[in-house]
Amino acid sequence: FCGLIILYALQLLLMTLSFWFVRLENLSALVDTVVFVARYPPDIFGVYLRLFVTYFLPLAFVAYVPTLALKTGVSGYWLLASLGTTTVFLAASSLFWRYATRVYTSASS
């Protein structure tokens, strides 16, 4: 459930940019390609890329953590990290959306 909410928040963050940029079709394709990385466990990446994929762009929480939970069960660390990351990204996307709608001026004004 947290992985789906994180994926939703990432999409919302990126698609909110459409208030300022006209052509975002390619950005959606880029997001799909980047999310493809979520299929792989973060352990195969180097230290810095693993931290980036786990916490900055939390793709590990989209696929790896749910798979780990089904395979071995959820540890307290991953559960807290998932809930915390979900909260942060959902709040950030909501704040960014509110900011974008507040400062938006239509093309006709």
Side-chain angles (χ1 to χ4, degrees):
F1 185 69
C2 288
L4 289 174
I5 294 173
I6 290 171
L7 192 56
Y8 165 78
L10 287 173
Q11 286 280 15
L12 182 61
L13 279 168
L14 291 174
M15 292 306 129
T16 300
L17 294 174
S18 65
F19 282 107
W20 296 283
F21 303 107
V22 178
R23 297 183 51 117
L24 289 177
E25 306 89 35
N26 295 334
L27 186 60
S28 180
L30 177 67
V31 169
D32 292 340
T33 304
V34 169
V35 170
F36 183 76
V37 173
R39 292 183 181 188
Y40 302 107
D43 299 337
I44 66 170
F45 302 118
V47 174
Y48 297 114
L49 189 56
R50 183 181 322 140
L51 290 173
F52 180 79
V53 171
T54 304
Y55 296 106
F56 184 73
L57 186 65
L59 296 176
F61 293 103
V62 174
Y64 174 69
V65 174
T67 304
L68 185 66
L70 289 173
K71 182 180 174 198
T72 61
V74 176
S75 69
Y77 167 76
W78 282 115
L79 184 61
L80 286 175
S82 294
L83 291 173
T85 305
T86 302
T87 303
V88 166
F89 271 81
L90 193 58
S93 64
S94 177
L95 289 171
F96 187 50
W97 173 261
R98 289 180 188 167
Y99 169 75
T101 56
R102 188 175 59 247
V103 300
Y104 174 72
T105 56
S106 67
S108 63
S109 57

